[in-house]
Amino acid sequence: MARFKGQAEYSVDSKGRTAIPAKMRLALSPDAGGTFTLTKGFEPCIYVYPLDQWKIKEDEYGRLNTNNRDARHLVRMILMWAEEVSLDGQGRISLPKALSDYAGIGDKVLIIGAMDRIELWNPERFADYLQDHTDDQETLAEKVMGS
Amino acid sequence: MARFKGQAEYSVDSKGRTAIPAKMRLALSPDAGGTFTLTKGFEPCIYVYPLDQWKIKEDEYGRLNTNNRDARHLVRMILMWAEEVSLDGQGRISLPKALSDYAGIGDKVLIIGAMDRIELWNPERFADYLQDHTDDQETLAEKVMGS
DNA sequence: GGAAGACTCCCCACTTTTCCCCACACAAAC
DNA sequence: GTTTGTGTGGGGAAAAGTGGGGAGTCTTCC
């Protein structure tokens, strides 16, 4: 499984393209073949899954009970935003307009490695997000990872 | 498991590189292969984990459920600061800008061996830290290891 | 149906940063 | 006093990030 980490602030050019940091490209599994699925983040950002990771997610959604109203809605909401993109010769991807609008991404993007996915943020929105989530990391770790 | 100890004040050159003391390099396990993961300390410093130690931590984070809001936040907060670096031919590593900014490290760095990790401090900040934590060691030992 | 415009790819080119290697100074060891 | 190892500094090649041109496709409007 790919393990993305680190952060970087990159620019988005006039054609809506942004580079994926070389370190993250190196962390890609060969199965992903330079292809990603972009989708709407739960937070106001874009989630970028390498193809192999996305397949796993997709399988999870596929196993949900379609007789359940909430499950149907969830799958609809997630898949309608999903879009497949590939790296160009310079290691860049182009951001679908619907998604960059949702995330409010202009000509700068903050790229964050978050384990199995990469996240793309508007740098200012991320600063706001941090302000709203000032929980002390130690407390959080205890809550989430327990004893 | 590697057991780092000792302290040293080294310089950081104009390219942002600093040497890892030879004694600590010798304490490295061969599994680490001269590679470290640097991350943000709970204190205002940089934590330096040899690769083998870091893998253990990373595996724990990888097992968290990404459908949980707090878990996502924790993983984001930790991994965004994590960066992998390797020793160069002279036994140095280069410090990522985001981390040396966080730790306030300029052209001098205090290197402290702390068991399974190494810590990098701005020497002045470490002095401040000591002033704010004047509990005497004997009392502390009893509190922590008492029973 | 055909032309104008937008959009998507796939290249090429420039600039900056990173990384690898060589060199020197100082200290400790023999 | 020479040798070995450690910390420090810097040059140059290679890679990474950024910007833009041009062919091909699709849409839209006359």
Side-chain angles (χ1 to χ4, degrees):
Chain A
M1 162 161 141
R3 299 278 170 104
F4 300 109
K5 50 180 171 287
Q7 55 172 315
E9 190 172 322
Y10 277 16
S11 51
V12 179
D13 67 22
S14 56
K15 294 179 181 179
R17 297 173 300 188
T18 188
I20 299 296
K23 290 200 175 143
M24 298 184 189
R25 291 203 306 265
L26 290 174
L28 281 174
S29 117
D31 297 344
T35 302
F36 300 90
T37 299
L38 274 54
T39 190
K40 186 171 131 175
F42 292 136
E43 295 77 18
C45 65
I46 302 176
Y47 286 173
V48 180
Y49 289 98
L51 196 56
D52 54 334
Q53 287 300 311
W54 176 254
K55 292 268 178 241
I56 297 172
K57 287 266 162 203
E58 220 173 49
D59 288 347
E60 281 174 25
Y61 298 130
R63 276 195 300 273
L64 292 179
N65 183 353
T66 49
N67 292 319
N68 178 289
R69 181 197 308 268
D70 288 338
R72 279 200 309 275
H73 184 66
L74 178 67
V75 169
R76 192 175 296 129
M77 288 299 104
I78 288 174
L79 291 186
M80 71 175 282
W81 289 94
E83 196 102 22
E84 227 174 75
V85 299
S86 290
L87 290 170
D88 70 9
Q90 277 73 255
R92 293 176 291 197
I93 58 174
S94 60
L95 306 179
K97 197 164 162 312
L99 286 171
S100 56
D101 282 352
Y102 164 72
I105 291 172
D107 59 352
K108 286 282 164 198
V109 61
L110 181 67
I111 304 176
I112 296 179
M115 211 66 194
D116 60 340
R117 68 172 178 278
I118 297 170
E119 297 184 352
L120 306 181
W121 289 77
N122 170 326
E124 285 141 38
R125 283 214 195 168
F126 185 72
D128 294 345
Y129 165 82
L130 284 185
Q131 293 232 323
D132 297 345
H133 295 78
T134 49
D135 324 1
D136 164 43
Q137 209 169 296
E138 272 173 282
T139 314
L140 195 61
E142 194 167 335
K143 192 160 91 184
V144 174
M145 311 187 69
S147 37
Chain B
M1 165 163 134
R3 298 281 169 105
F4 300 109
K5 48 183 174 290
Q7 57 169 314
E9 189 171 325
Y10 278 16
S11 52
V12 179
D13 67 22
S14 58
K15 293 180 178 177
R17 298 174 299 188
T18 188
I20 299 295
K23 285 186 181 160
M24 297 184 190
R25 290 203 305 265
L26 290 173
L28 279 175
S29 116
D31 297 343
T35 302
F36 300 90
T37 298
L38 273 54
T39 191
K40 187 171 130 174
F42 289 133
E43 297 79 19
C45 65
I46 301 175
Y47 287 172
V48 181
Y49 291 97
L51 193 58
D52 52 339
Q53 285 301 310
W54 174 256
K55 287 281 175 223
I56 297 171
K57 297 204 164 277
E58 209 176 59
D59 287 346
E60 286 173 23
Y61 301 129
R63 278 193 296 273
L64 294 178
N65 183 348
T66 50
N67 290 316
N68 177 287
R69 182 197 309 265
D70 287 336
R72 277 202 309 278
H73 182 65
L74 181 69
V75 167
R76 192 175 293 130
M77 289 301 103
I78 290 174
L79 289 187
M80 69 176 282
W81 292 100
E83 201 91 36
E84 222 170 271
V85 299
S86 291
L87 290 170
D88 69 9
Q90 277 72 258
R92 293 175 292 196
I93 58 173
S94 61
L95 307 179
K97 199 169 158 309
L99 285 171
S100 54
D101 282 353
Y102 165 72
I105 291 172
D107 58 353
K108 286 283 164 197
V109 61
L110 180 67
I111 304 177
I112 298 178
M115 211 64 190
D116 62 338
R117 67 169 180 270
I118 297 170
E119 295 184 357
L120 306 180
W121 288 77
N122 171 326
E124 286 142 37
R125 284 215 194 168
F126 186 71
D128 295 346
Y129 167 81
L130 285 185
Q131 292 229 325
D132 296 346
H133 295 78
T134 50
D135 321 1
D136 92 277
Q137 274 178 37
E138 193 183 338
T139 314
L140 207 55
E142 188 165 343
K143 195 160 85 182
V144 176
M145 312 184 70
S147 43

